[in-house]
Amino acid sequence: MNAPDRYERFVVPEGTKNDNHSCRVSYERDTKIVNAASFTIEREDHTIGNIVRMQLHRDPNVLFAGYKLPHPLQYKIIVRIHTTSQSSPTQAYTQAVNDLDKELEYLKQAFEVCF
Amino acid sequence: MDRPAAGASYQRFPRVKIRELKDDYAKFELRDTDASMANALRRVMIAEVPTVAIDLVEIEVNSSVLNDEFIAHRLGLIPLTSAAAMQMRFSRDCDACDGDGSCEYCSVEFNLSARATDSDQTLEVTSNDLRSADPKVCPVDQARAYQQALSSGDYDPNAGDQRGILIVKLRRGQELRLRAIARKGIGKDHAKWSPAATVTFMYEPDIRINEELMDTLTLDEKRSWVESSPTKVFELDPVTQQVTVSDAEAYTYDEEVIKAAEAMGKPGLVEINAKEDSFIFTVETTGAITAYELIMNAITVLRQKLDAVRLQDDDGDLGELGAHLGGP
C-alpha cells in the first residue's frame, strides 16, 4: 500500500527547473563546521555511493567522507565530506568523480586490448 | 570560477586478464582496484545493463488452462536477443511515438498464434511460435537454433533443446492468439530485463605453507590435513612427501584447514590471506547479450551514472558557495 513504484528507484521526477540543472545532486553546507558539506544525490544507491566514498578516502585533503541511505524506501543517498582548508567539499567531490571516470575509461581500454 | 585545477589525480590503474571467454560465459581477473569498484561492476551487470523484454501483451483469444496474466508473465521472462538495446530508447523517453510507447524506435512487436488441431496430441506453445517484427530481436533459443542450422546444417526441430521455451500446453480445441510489445528496460525495474544469469567475484587467496612446521608432520598427518579441506586446494606428492598448493582458487574461505592444523597442535601451519585488490570474476549471461558485451556495457552504464551525478558548474549560487568555501 505504501510501497513506491518500482521505476522510482531510477527515474528522476520532473524538477521545477526544466534545464540541465536537475534536482539530481543538491548541496548543503554545514553551518557549524568549516569546509564540510552534505551532498544529496537523488535516485542513486550503494553502487555510486560506495565507489565515490572509497575514492574520496584516497584524497589526503579529505578528513571525513561517508555515505548513507537514510531509508531503504527513499531512493537517495547522502554523501558527507569534510576537507582541510586546502580544498573544499565541492572540489573533492568533483575530483573524485573525475578520477573514477578516468579509472573506468582505463579499465575499458584494458579490456579492449585483452580481447 | 577561477579556482586553480586540483593537484594530483588519485586515479587507480586497474589491470585485467581474461582467462576464459565464451559466448555466454567469461572468467577474468581484475587487479589493482578497490572492492567497491568490483562490487559496483557486479551490481551494474545484474541490475542496470539494459536489455529488451516483452512488456505489454494484448490477448485476443485465450482458451488455454492458464489465465491471461499468467501467460503474460511467462512471456515477459523469455530472454530476447538484445544486442541493439544500448542504442534503443526507453519508452518513457521516446518522443517519436504518440505517447503509447510502441513506435519502431523504442519497441519491437511480437505475434503469437497457436491453435490445437483436432488431434489427440497436446500442442506445446513455445518461444519458437513467437514471430518478431524485427529479426534482430527474437527469443534467444530461436537465434541459437538458427546459428546452429547455418553452421552445421543438421537442424532437428524436434530435438530436446531445439523445441524452444515452453509457454503453455494446449489441448484439442484450445487456442492462444496474442500481440506483444517488447521494450527496453533494466533489471532494477524487473528481473526479466536482467541480462546476467550469475555474476560473482572472489578475492584471490594468498596461501603460504610454513615449510618448517610442515616438515614436523608425519605422512599420515599430512594426508589427513590435506583431506580436511572440503575443496581440493592442497596436494600431497607421494614420492617427495611434500605438501604443495595445487589450486589456490578452489579455496572458498572456509577455514577448515586452519582449524584442522590447530586441532593437530600445529597452529600457523598455513597462512591464508585474501589479497585486497585482486578479484576473480565469473560472469554468465542468459544469452540476451554476450558476456563480453555485458562487461563493456556495464562499464559504459557506470560511466553514464557517474556523469549524471556530477555537480553542475553553471549553477549560480553553487558557484558562489563554492567560492565561499573553496580555494586555497
Side-chain angles (χ1 to χ4, degrees):
Chain A
M1 182 176 84
N2 288 327
D5 290 315
R6 205 56 202 248
Y7 60 77
E8 299 262 348
R9 296 179 73 181
F10 47 90
V11 174
V12 188
E14 288 293 312
T16 47
K17 302 169 191 167
N18 283 335
D19 50 338
N20 55 351
H21 164 60
S22 71
C23 41
R24 190 107 197 208
V25 188
S26 59
Y27 174 116
E28 229 178 69
R29 281 182 55 196
D30 188 328
T31 49
K32 291 175 255 182
I33 304 178
V34 204
N35 283 332
S38 293
F39 295 82
T40 302
I41 308 176
E42 287 286 336
R43 305 302 190 249
E44 286 296 342
D45 60 1
H46 301 282
T47 309
I48 293 290
N50 205 18
I51 49 176
V52 169
R53 177 186 72 100
M54 292 304 285
Q55 186 63 30
L56 282 164
H57 283 173
R58 286 167 66 84
D59 187 344
N61 284 327
V62 168
L63 298 169
F64 177 90
Y67 84 100
K68 69 177 179 184
L69 271 73
H71 192 278
L73 291 176
Q74 281 173 12
Y75 304 119
K76 63 180 174 183
I77 55 172
I78 300 180
V79 181
R80 190 173 168 87
I81 307 177
H82 293 190
T83 60
T84 61
S85 49
Q86 301 298 314
S87 173
S88 83
T90 42
Q91 199 177 327
Y93 179 83
T94 310
Q95 181 70 31
V97 171
N98 286 338
D99 285 344
L100 284 168
D101 189 54
K102 282 191 256 175
E103 182 179 342
L104 283 169
E105 161 130 30
Y106 189 89
L107 182 62
K108 183 168 167 195
Q109 283 166 4
F111 265 111
E112 281 165 357
V113 164
C114 247
F115 190 52
Chain B
M1 232 172 16
D2 240 359
R3 212 182 291 141
S9 155
Y10 306 104
Q11 181 196 349
R12 273 184 274 256
F13 297 96
R15 289 181 295 139
V16 176
K17 189 173 134 211
I18 298 186
R19 279 201 202 165
E20 228 185 290
L21 187 63
K22 289 190 266 200
D23 247 354
D24 57 357
Y25 178 84
K27 193 160 183 174
F28 62 94
E29 295 168 10
L30 180 65
R31 299 221 157 92
D32 297 346
T33 185
D34 188 58
S36 61
M37 179 61 77
N39 195 35
L41 280 170
R42 183 192 66 91
R43 285 174 67 101
V44 169
M45 280 192 232
I46 293 174
E48 300 202 53
V49 174
T51 48
V52 180
I54 290 178
D55 202 28
L56 182 68
V57 178
E58 283 171 15
I59 299 191
E60 276 176 70
V61 177
N62 173 22
S63 45
S64 68
V65 290
L66 301 179
N67 50 19
D68 290 353
E69 58 264 29
F70 200 134
I71 294 179
H73 178 246
R74 289 178 69 78
L75 286 167
L77 292 171
I78 295 173
L80 306 174
T81 52
S82 313
M86 287 294 274
Q87 270 71 41
M88 274 173 80
R89 300 178 223 176
F90 289 104
S91 286
R92 55 178 183 264
D93 295 336
C94 188
D95 39 6
C97 49
D98 28 330
D100 58 348
S102 51
C103 74
E104 51 169 356
Y105 294 107
C106 61
S107 60
V108 180
E109 192 174 310
F110 285 82
N111 270 295
L112 188 149
S113 184
R115 194 200 163 91
T117 56
D118 292 319
S119 80
D120 264 339
Q121 226 182 0
T122 313
L123 177 67
E124 290 186 351
V125 180
T126 70
S127 58
N128 285 342
D129 299 315
L130 269 172
R131 303 263 171 263
S132 165
D134 179 354
K136 290 197 301 295
V137 180
C138 66
V140 165
D141 45 346
Q142 240 181 59
R144 205 172 278 159
Y146 183 64
Q147 278 299 102
Q148 213 177 353
L150 276 182
S151 59
S152 55
D154 57 343
Y155 171 63
D156 174 17
N158 291 326
D161 53 347
Q162 309 283 25
R163 280 178 299 180
I165 299 170
L166 180 62
I167 300 173
V168 65
K169 294 185 187 179
L170 297 177
R171 193 187 185 274
R172 175 176 61 207
Q174 291 175 343
E175 188 178 351
L176 179 64
R177 222 179 21 226
L178 52 88
R179 182 177 156 253
I181 308 245
R183 296 194 185 125
K184 172 178 171 176
I186 58 177
K188 243 185 182 178
D189 196 351
H190 192 285
K192 68 188 178 191
W193 276 298
S194 176
T198 60
V199 180
T200 57
F201 70 89
M202 67 179 272
Y203 287 98
E204 194 182 332
D206 181 25
I207 304 180
R208 278 172 234 229
I209 301 178
N210 188 336
E211 294 294 347
E212 298 156 2
L213 256 172
M214 186 58 85
D215 284 336
T216 64
L217 265 65
T218 68
L219 183 60
D220 279 334
E221 281 181 327
K222 284 185 190 172
R223 194 178 297 131
S224 78
W225 184 78
V226 165
E227 278 164 21
S228 69
S229 167
T231 47
K232 193 168 185 304
V233 181
F234 300 97
E235 188 173 59
L236 176 60
D237 189 340
V239 174
T240 61
Q241 294 188 5
Q242 293 295 332
V243 176
T244 51
V245 177
S246 68
D247 186 6
E249 280 162 27
Y251 183 63
T252 51
Y253 294 96
D254 56 277
E255 293 179 349
E256 289 300 317
V257 283
I258 299 183
K259 286 186 225 162
E262 276 167 28
M264 274 196 300
K266 309 260 193 290
L269 182 59
V270 68
E271 211 181 274
I272 305 182
N273 292 317
K275 287 191 205 152
E276 277 173 10
D277 57 356
S278 198
F279 309 98
I280 299 170
F281 268 81
T282 306
V283 175
E284 216 177 299
T285 69
T286 56
I289 50 183
T290 62
Y292 183 73
E293 268 175 13
L294 176 59
I295 301 166
M296 301 311 277
N297 290 352
I299 298 176
T300 307
V301 167
L302 192 48
R303 288 181 79 186
Q304 283 170 1
K305 281 165 75 76
L306 279 170
D307 213 28
V309 300
R310 269 176 216 274
L311 285 171
Q312 304 301 330
D313 259 348
D314 55 339
D315 184 357
D317 35 351
L318 202 60
E320 212 176 83
L321 274 172
H324 223 287
L325 280 183

